[in-house]
Amino acid sequence: MRRRHLAAVFGVLVLATAGCTTTAEKRAGTEPSARVSAAAEATATAPACPGGTFRWADVTREVRLTEVSPVVKVGRSDGRITFHPRLVRTIVARVDMSDTSVSAHRVLVALAKRLKWADAEGLATPGEASADRVHHDPQVDFLGHPGRYVEAEGVNVVEASFTVTCSGGRDVYGSVITWLKGNSGASLACGVDPGNHPWIREAYRLTCGGGTT
């Protein structure tokens, strides 16, 4: 799901659309790409852990900025404008565990249940990068609203740590970082307070500057 915030002359606008992704030339980001842990890829050495209860801790969910466009100057008679967001950072899903007796898929299924999400299909799998989601350059109609505007996009990132107690009382410890498929989008007007969302304020600082008028 795509959520669009409009922090400008128009107030706040929320839309639901399809998920978005950057193009291939946007692959270079500023945040180091995570990788699937070597432990999760290695041959299992611990006995299988069927069943078992997940206990979750430090579960956080927040939108992080992934793309932002250059500032576009819009005239009063200009109508629909196409923006071209550029990559700021890439979020790569990963699951790390103390041993391989619990599959990454099982972790995501349990996490989706913890989040009250429909199913694990809505979560990025280990190795899946936010920069690879399907992307369409956003278009916004500004007719009659001149100014300097920016388009920002982000993904809803989930991080958590967990413990799985296997039969016999053996515990498997781990952590996960993933993102909800789809993205959030925001239209910003330079010179207008961008609001309190950290990822939107970051986009404003990167493009419009640190202050408002």
Side-chain angles (χ1 to χ4, degrees):
M1 178 179 290
R2 176 190 180 93
R3 299 182 183 276
R4 177 163 297 284
H5 303 262
L6 183 55
V9 178
F10 308 142
V12 178
L13 176 66
V14 179
L15 299 178
T17 66
C20 287
T21 267
T22 56
T23 51
E25 61 268 27
K26 301 177 183 176
R27 294 296 299 273
T30 59
E31 181 174 285
S33 295
R35 63 181 184 276
V36 181
S37 67
E41 295 176 334
T43 302
T45 57
C49 181
T53 301
F54 277 81
R55 298 191 302 280
W56 294 96
D58 305 320
V59 180
T60 63
R61 179 173 166 177
E62 64 176 0
V63 178
R64 294 184 189 171
L65 181 68
T66 52
E67 295 93 17
V68 68
S69 76
V71 175
V72 175
K73 187 174 181 179
V74 178
R76 183 169 296 277
S77 61
D78 292 334
R80 186 171 295 275
I81 303 295
T82 299
F83 291 84
H84 304 284
R86 300 171 181 172
L87 192 66
V88 172
R89 63 171 57 85
T90 297
I91 310 297
V92 181
R94 64 183 290 169
V95 176
D96 295 314
M97 287 177 283
S98 57
D99 66 51
T100 58
S101 60
V102 179
S103 70
H105 176 71
R106 186 175 161 200
V107 172
L108 294 180
V109 169
L111 180 59
K113 183 177 180 181
R114 171 66 172 75
L115 296 171
K116 295 180 170 55
W117 200 248
D119 54 51
E121 298 303 315
L123 298 173
T125 57
E128 193 169 355
S130 61
D132 292 331
R133 62 197 201 286
V134 176
H135 177 84
H136 303 284
D137 288 339
Q139 294 184 335
V140 182
D141 191 348
F142 291 102
L143 186 61
H145 297 279
R148 298 169 64 243
Y149 293 93
V150 171
E151 282 289 310
E153 296 183 349
V155 292
N156 199 328
V157 178
V158 180
E159 290 189 83
S161 56
F162 60 87
T163 302
V164 187
T165 301
C166 308
S167 58
R170 179 172 60 88
D171 286 333
V172 176
Y173 306 99
S175 62
V176 57
I177 178 170
T178 183
W179 42 275
L180 302 179
K181 294 183 179 180
N183 79 299
S184 295
S187 297
L188 314 177
C190 295
V192 177
D193 190 336
N196 296 322
H197 295 286
W199 72 279
I200 296 179
R201 296 194 70 86
E202 180 186 6
Y204 188 99
R205 290 194 302 271
L206 289 173
T207 53
C208 299
T212 60
T213 58

